[in-house]
Amino acid sequence: MKSIPYSRQEISDADIAAVADVLRSPFLTQGPAIERFEAEFAALHKSKHAVAVCNATAALHLACLALGVGRGDLVWTSPISFVASANCALYCGADVDFVDIDPVTRNMSVDALAERLAVAERDGRLPKVVVPVDFSGLPCDLEEIRSLADRYGFKIISDSSHAVGATYRGEPIGRYADISVFSFHPVKIVTTGEGGLCLTDDAALADRIKLLRSHGITRNAAQMQCGGEGSWYYEQIDLGFNYRITDIQAALGSSQLTSLDEKFRRRDEIARRYDDKLARLPLKLPVRLNDRQSAHHLYIVEVAHGVSRSDVFAALRADGILVNVHYIPIHLQPYYRARGFAPGDFPASEAYYAGAITIPLFPSLDPSEQDYVVERLTSAIGS
Ligand SMILES: *Cc1c(COP(=O)(O)O)cnc(C)c1O
C-alpha cells in the first residue's frame, strides 16, 4: 500500500529548469536570483522589503537582533508553534515567556495577551517583542495585536512560516507586524529546499538584516568608518553570520511562486472538502473566519475529550496515513521545563495538544486519497 504523507513538496518541470539555469550561470550564490526572488516575494505581499536567508530559524534570529533584542529583554510567543519561534529570543540572550492560545483559532489569544500585558506593565516587565504565529496558515488577530503593540510599546515579529499567501481583511499579511518571517522548508507552502525570509516595510530594519545575514560586512561607503582604500575594500561593522540563501534556492523559490495561486486554490479546495466530509464527526475542525483567508498549510482535527489521540494516531499510521502532531507545546519541552515551565502553565495549549492530529493536505492529494483518509479517520474514532 502506498502511504500518504501529511505534507509533500510539489516540484514542477519548470522548477527543475529554473534551478538548472542557475547551475549553468556564473553565480551559484550572491547573484541576481536572490534579489529577484526577494522583489517578487515583497511585491506579492505588497511589502516594501524582503530579505531571504538560509532558513526561517535564521530569519527569526536576525529579526530579533534587528529589533535590538538582547540580554535582559523579554520575548513572548505562542506555546503552539515550532520551537524556533521561542529559541530565537534565547539566541539573543533574552528571556522567553508564552501567551496561551485561543482554542477556536489555535493562535495566540488576544484576550490572554491583553491581560498579561496589563500585569506586566504593573510589574515593570513588559516584553520587547511579541512573536505571534499564524498557526496552520490562519492569520492571527493582527489588527488587535498591533493596537496592543502601539499601546504597550513592544515590536511584533509575526512567525508567518505557515502563511505564505494568506490574507487578512482583504490584504496580504505583513503590514501589521514590524517584521514577518516565512519558511521555505519542503513541507511548507512554497519551498527552496531550505530557506526563510524577513518581510518588512522598514528600510532600516531590512538593511540591518542584510548586514547581519553576511558577517556584518558592508561594501557601502556610507556605512564605513575608514573606507576609501580601493574597490577591494570592505568593513566588518557588526558581528553577523553566514545566513545567506543560494541563487540555486532562490531560483527554485521564484519558480514556485509562479504557481502559488494554483497551490492556494487546491489547498483551499481540499480543506473545504474535509470541512464538509468531517462535519458530522465528533471532531473539532479548523475554524473559518470571514475576515481572513488561511493558507491551509496544515489541516488539524482534534479528537473529542475521552477519545485516545494516540490510538487514533496509531490506527491511521497502520493504514499508511502518515499523520503527525503539530505541536508539542514548547513550554513542555525538557529544555523549557528546565527554564521553569511546567504542565498546567498554559491550559488551552495543553488541551489542544491532547487531541490534535494533522491529516494529509497538499496540492496533489487526490480525491480518492482524501476519501480514504476520511474513511479511515471515521473508523479510527469509532464513528
Ligand atoms: C518551519 C517553521 C519554522 C522554522 O523554519 P525553518 O525554515 O525550518 O528554519 C519556524 N516557525 C514555524 C512556525 C515553522 O513551522
Side-chain angles (χ1 to χ4, degrees), residues 348-363:
S349 297
E350 293 169 34
Y352 157 81
Y353 169 61
I357 301 182
T358 305
I359 62 176
L361 195 170
F362 46 89

Side-chain angles (χ1 to χ4, degrees), residues 129-312:
V129 167
V130 173
V131 184
V133 181
D134 299 325
F135 181 61
S136 79
L138 183 72
C140 289
D141 298 320
L142 294 166
E143 201 169 302
E144 290 82 355
I145 296 172
R146 179 77 259 165
S147 62
L148 288 169
D150 293 342
R151 173 160 165 211
Y152 288 98
F154 61 84
K155 303 289 185 190
I156 305 171
I157 299 173
S158 173
D159 186 342
S160 299
S161 291
H162 298 181
V164 173
T167 57
Y168 175 79
R169 307 204 166 154
E171 295 282 331
I173 52 171
R175 41 184 277 236
Y176 297 92
D178 295 277
I179 302 171
S180 299
V181 165
F182 297 86
S183 171
F184 309 124
H185 185 275
V187 297
K188 307 284 164 76
I189 307 260
V190 298
T191 188
T192 59
E194 294 276 2
L197 183 142
C198 293
L199 196 69
T200 180
D201 281 334
D202 184 324
L205 287 177
D207 279 349
R208 186 136 179 81
I209 294 166
K210 274 186 197 160
L211 183 76
L212 295 172
R213 166 176 72 176
S214 196
H215 308 282
I217 283 174
T218 184
R219 290 179 180 277
N220 175 357
Q223 291 180 311
M224 290 183 185
Q225 290 178 20
C226 313
E229 290 185 35
S231 59
W232 69 85
Y233 187 76
Y234 59 83
E235 282 186 358
Q236 184 191 341
I237 58 172
D238 206 331
L239 184 62
F241 307 85
N242 181 351
Y243 279 173
R244 295 187 303 259
I245 194 168
T246 66
D247 279 57
I248 306 166
Q249 294 166 305
L252 178 56
S254 286
S255 181
Q256 288 254 306
L257 288 182
T258 61
S259 59
L260 182 60
D261 285 350
E262 173 60 13
K263 292 187 186 100
F264 194 90
R265 195 188 60 70
R266 273 297 293 151
R267 285 183 179 275
D268 193 52
E269 191 171 64
I270 294 165
R272 282 182 192 280
R273 210 159 169 268
Y274 273 139
D275 290 350
D276 190 38
K277 290 182 178 279
L278 300 175
R280 277 164 300 280
L281 298 180
L283 291 170
K284 190 163 154 197
L285 303 181
V287 70
R288 279 186 184 269
L289 299 174
N290 290 330
D291 66 345
R292 67 201 79 178
Q293 170 71 54
S294 175
H296 299 296
H297 164 52
L298 301 172
Y299 196 96
I300 298 163
V301 301
E302 290 169 65
V303 301
H305 194 66
V307 174
S308 161
R309 186 263 311 274
S310 59
D311 288 353
V312 175

Side-chain angles (χ1 to χ4, degrees), residues 63-71 73-75 88-89 92-94 128-129 157:
C64 284
L65 289 174
L67 291 171
V69 173
R71 215 160 287 285
D73 290 329
L74 190 51
V75 173
C88 58
C92 304
K128 180 154 196 163
V129 167
I157 299 173

